[in-house]
Structures are given as C-alpha cells and as structure tokens.
Amino acid sequence: MTMETSPVRVLRAGAAPEQPVPPPADGSVALWLLRVAEDPGAHDLLDAEERRRWKALVREGDRARYLAAHGGLRRLLGRYLDVPAGEVVFVREDCPLCGGPHGRPALRGGGLHFSLSHSRDLVLVGVAARPVGVDVEAYPQAEVSDLVAVSLHPREREEFALLPEDARQAAFTRCWARKEAYLKGTGEGLAGGLERTYVGLGPEPAAVPGWSLTDVPVGASFAAAVAVAEGPESRLG
C-alpha cells in the first residue's frame, strides 16, 4: 500500500508490492518506510554474510529488527529487479577513503542504488538511480545528545550550545540523521568524520556541495533524512 499524495512512499508491515516496481527516474529517490513485524520467513532470504551478522546479534529484539529490515529490503529490491528476493546479490563498493572492499553496499551488476536504515520499529529504504544515503534515528536520551554533540562540526557545536535544553534533543537528532545519510551516500560512513561536513541543526539542512540533502517526516520522536548525489533535476518523488 502506498501513499501517492506524499513524496515518501510507505510500505507497511513488511509486505512487498505484488507486482514489479518501475525504477525511479534519474534524479529522484523512492523512499519506503517499513515497520518491524515478525517475519520468520526472512531468514531463508538472507545470504551467508547476512546470516552471520544476524547470528552475531545477542538481543532478540535486535535479531527481529535485522530480519525485518534485511528481509524487507530484499523483497523490495526483488520487485525493482523483477527477481525472487532470495536471488538479490549484494556486493561492496571500494571505500572512498582507503580503497578497501568495505564501501557502500551495492547490487551486483549495478543499475539501482539503495540505502537502508532502521531504528526501533522503523525501517527506511531509499532507492535511486544515483548514489543515495538514508538514515532514521529515534530521539536519544538528553544526556546522550549532550555527550555526542561535542563530536559535531564546530558550527554545529556552537548552534547546539545556544539552544534551550528542551530543544536540543530534536535538533541533535535532525543533525545526526542528516550527517549519517550524507556519509552513507558517499560511502565513507562514520569514518568520514562527524566534524568535517556542516549540515546544521536548524529546521532545514544546510547545503552540501554535490549532494541534495532533505529531511524526511517519519513520525513523532524520530528524525530521518535522505541524501542523493546531485545532477540535473535531483528531487524526491
């Protein structure tokens, strides 16, 4: 079930579309929001590396979220590729920082780009024809925001210090989601440095050269963002 009135397309309860899904137009991003639900069949869709990561998780809740997220991603990408979910093959791009084989996850054969993020009971997937990164974050406890804010860009640290205490939690989470989405899009991940790129804590993201960065509404007590490599007509849709 999708919400055609919103630029965020919503895929509910882990269910996949019944028919193949056309790929997003160049410059657009299709965003899918899944909710974690029990999905024991997802285990059979995972490849060896995904199973290894799943088994390494200690807490049952984390294992359930992993299955829902990665099973849902496989089913969704299978609809885009028009192949069974279990036949979707993932590879790793080279790291842009060191050249090692641990960069952005990608589809074997290329074509579509995708990004996956999950937090508590929400799973966010972005699919695009260009490099894309998404992130969804539940609001952390206030003391966590205060502790981690010192690792942000110097201007962001200044903005955070000027905020009243009751506004810091939401602003920090917005900033963190924007930063993670961008760093996942570039393939650098957190190794790229939280302090290096300014994305801002305000109501709208700051401009980031070469990337279109947009906040995504996903519900109360969560923040989310999407970053897509720029080109002619980059947009959500």
Side-chain angles (χ1 to χ4, degrees), residues 13-33:
E18 295 298 325
Q19 302 296 327
V21 180
D26 186 31
S28 69
V29 182
L31 294 173
W32 299 83
L33 188 66

Side-chain angles (χ1 to χ4, degrees), residues 152-230:
L152 299 177
H153 186 279
R155 286 174 59 191
E156 292 162 351
R157 295 200 298 265
E158 292 175 3
E159 292 173 4
F160 185 82
L162 293 173
L163 289 171
E165 288 192 9
D166 61 356
R168 289 183 173 184
Q169 191 180 39
F172 169 82
T173 313
R174 280 198 303 268
C175 179
W176 187 271
R178 294 166 184 171
K179 205 168 287 277
E180 282 242 39
Y182 166 69
L183 291 171
K184 289 168 73 174
T186 65
E188 299 173 19
L190 294 180
L194 295 172
E195 76 290 343
R196 188 171 60 114
T197 302
Y198 174 74
V199 299
L201 277 74
E204 298 293 332
V208 178
W211 289 82
S212 177
L213 182 59
T214 308
D215 291 338
V216 179
V218 293
S221 299
F222 286 87
V226 55
V228 61
E230 280 187 342

Side-chain angles (χ1 to χ4, degrees), residues 4 20 30 38-39 41 46 48 61 66 76 78 80 89-90 113 134 146 150 155 169-170 175 191 204 212 216 224 237:
E4 299 298 341
E38 186 174 356
D39 189 5
L46 304 184
Y66 186 94
L76 184 56
Y80 276 105
V89 180
F90 298 114
H113 296 265
V134 300
D146 292 342
V150 298
R155 286 174 59 191
Q169 191 180 39
C175 179
E204 298 293 332
S212 177
V216 179

